[in-house]
Amino acid sequence: MKITMIGSGYVGLVSGACFSDFGHDVVCVDKDASKIEALQAGRMPIYEPGLDQLVATNVAAGRLTFTTDLAAAVAGADAIFIAVGTPSRRGDGHADLTYVFEATKEIAAAVTGPTVVVTKSTVPVGTGDRVEEILREERPDIDIAVVSNPEFLREGAAIGDFKRPDRIVIGSEDARAREVMREVYRPLYLNESPILFVSRRTSELIKYAANAFLATKITFINEIADLCEAVGANVQDVSRGIGLDNRIGAKFLHAGPGYGGSCFPKDTLALLKTAEDHESPVHIVEAVVKVNDSRKRAMGRKVLHALGDEPRGKTVAVLGLTFKPNTDDMRDAPSLAVVQSLQDAGVTVRAFDPEGMDAAKAMMPDVVFCKDAYEAAAGADAVTIVTEWDTFRALDLRRLASVMTAPVMVDLRNVYRPDDVRKLGFAYSSVGR
Ligand code: NAD
C-alpha cells in the first residue's frame, strides 16, 4: 500500500518507519525542513531507541522516503495519516487543532483520487466530523473516508509498542475504510493483535479515556505515597500489594514527582474541556489535574527541605530532566517545576541528562549543564534524581559523596534502597518510604 504520513515527529516518524517495515511504501512529510533534511541525511531528529536502525533499513530497501512536499506525497496515496501536534491551546486548555485543520486543507488541495484520511493525532471527540466536513466542502468531487486511529505508543519503547500493541483502535463505520485499515495493519492482524472497530467518536474518546485513566493511576499512588510518609508505611510494598491483584494491575503504580510529558498533561486538560462543553463533568480527572499540578512544586519543596533551614545560596545537582528515561522529550517534564522552585528559593542548579540537555537548555535558563552525574554533583549540597535513567541506578555513590559538599540525596524515583545509601553516610529521602 502507499501510505503518506503527515507530521514526522515522535508519533509520525515511528509510525511511518514501522509501516514501511511491514512492507508498505511510506512517505513521511514534515513542514519543518530541518527535520526532513536530517532524515534525508540519515540523522534522527529525535532520540528513540532503535529508530535509526529501523529507518536506515527501510530507506535502504526503498520503502521509506522523506519530503516537505505534501502535495506530491499525497497524490495517489491509499491512506493519508495525520500525525501532527495537538498541544494545549494557550489560555483555555482545549486541544489546539490548528495543525490538524491546516493539514486537512493541504490534503484537500492535493488529493487525486479516492482515499482514506486517518487521524492519528490525539484529537477531541468530533474532530473527525470536522475533518470530514472540510474535505467534503473543498473536494466534493472525490470520495474521501475519514477514520480515527489513535496511537498508544510510549516514547522510549515506541517501536516495540507499535509493532506489538495491546490493541489497535479503528474508528470508522465505512466498510471500504475499514478494509483499507485492515490492510494497513495486516501484519499485526496476522499476529492476532486485537483490532477494535468502533465508531469514530468512540475511538476519539478511547484515547482520552485511556490517558486520563493512566494519569489517575499515577496520581492515586502519589497521594498514597504521601499518606505512607505520614503513617510510616512503604509505598513500594503497597504498590506490590495492590498491583498483584489482577483487577488493579502492577503498571503505573510507581510513586514519583507527578506525571509529565507531551501527552498526559495536555490530554487530561482537553478531556476536561470536552466534558465541560458537553455539561458532563469528569470530577475524578479534575482532581487528578489539580493534585498533579501541585505535586510537581511540592517535590521542589521536598528537595529544599533536605537542604536545611537556609537553602538560599546552596547548590543542587539535578539528575535527569526528561519526563521519563529513554527519550529526549522535555515537554511538560516535572523537572521544569522542580528546577524552577529551587531557583525561586535562590538555589543554584547543576544538571545532567543523557539525552534531554539540548532541549532543556532552551527551557531552563541559569542552569549549569554538566557532562555527567559526577560533574553535576561537584560542590553540590544535595543531589536529586528526577528521571530514572539506568545510568542513575548504578551510580558510584562513594565517588558521588566524595565530590559533594554534603552527601544529601533526594531520590524522587525511589531508585535506591534507603539502607544501602544511608550506610554510605548519605542523608537520604525518597517518595512514600
Ligand atoms: P511532534 O511535535 O513531535 O510532531 C509533530 C510534527 O508535525 C512536527 O514535526 C511538525 O513540524 C509537523 N507538522 C505540523 N503541521 C504540519 C503540516 N501541516 N504538514 C507537515 N508537517 C506538519 O508531536 P508528536 O509527539 O509526534 O505528537 C503528534 C500527535 O500524536 C499528538 O496529537 C499527540 O498527542 C499524539 N500522540 C503522541 C504520543 C507521544 O508519545 N509523543 C503518543 C501518542 C499520541
Side-chain angles (χ1 to χ4, degrees), residues 85 88 114 144 149 210 222 227 242 250 258 261 274 280 288 315 319 344 348-349 357 389 391 413 416 422:
S88 276
I144 308 171
N149 170 221
N222 282 340
L227 185 56
I242 64 174
T274 300
S280 177
V288 165
T315 298
L319 304 186
D344 288 350
T348 299
V349 175
M357 291 204 290
W389 287 87
T391 177
R413 296 289 184 174
Y416 287 100
R422 288 186 184 131

Side-chain angles (χ1 to χ4, degrees), residues 228-246:
C228 284
E229 287 182 20
V231 302
N234 180 321
V235 75
Q236 281 179 314
D237 293 338
V238 173
S239 292
R240 199 165 148 72
I242 64 174
L244 284 169
D245 184 328
N246 284 332

Side-chain angles (χ1 to χ4, degrees), residues 6-12 29-32 35 46 70 83-86 99 102-103 106 120-123 151-155 207 211 262-263 266-267 323 329 331:
I6 299 178
S8 305
Y10 289 88
V11 166
V29 185
D30 207 287
K31 63 177 183 186
D32 181 342
K35 272 189 191 172
I46 55 166
L70 185 141
V84 301
T86 48
Y99 302 114
E102 266 174 23
E106 290 175 71
K120 200 164 245 324
S121 298
T122 302
V123 294
E151 183 49 55
F152 299 96
L153 63 76
R154 295 162 300 167
E155 288 174 21
K207 175 64 191 177
N211 275 359
S262 62
C263 292
K266 77 171 176 66
D267 292 347
F323 81 96
D329 200 341
R331 288 176 284 185

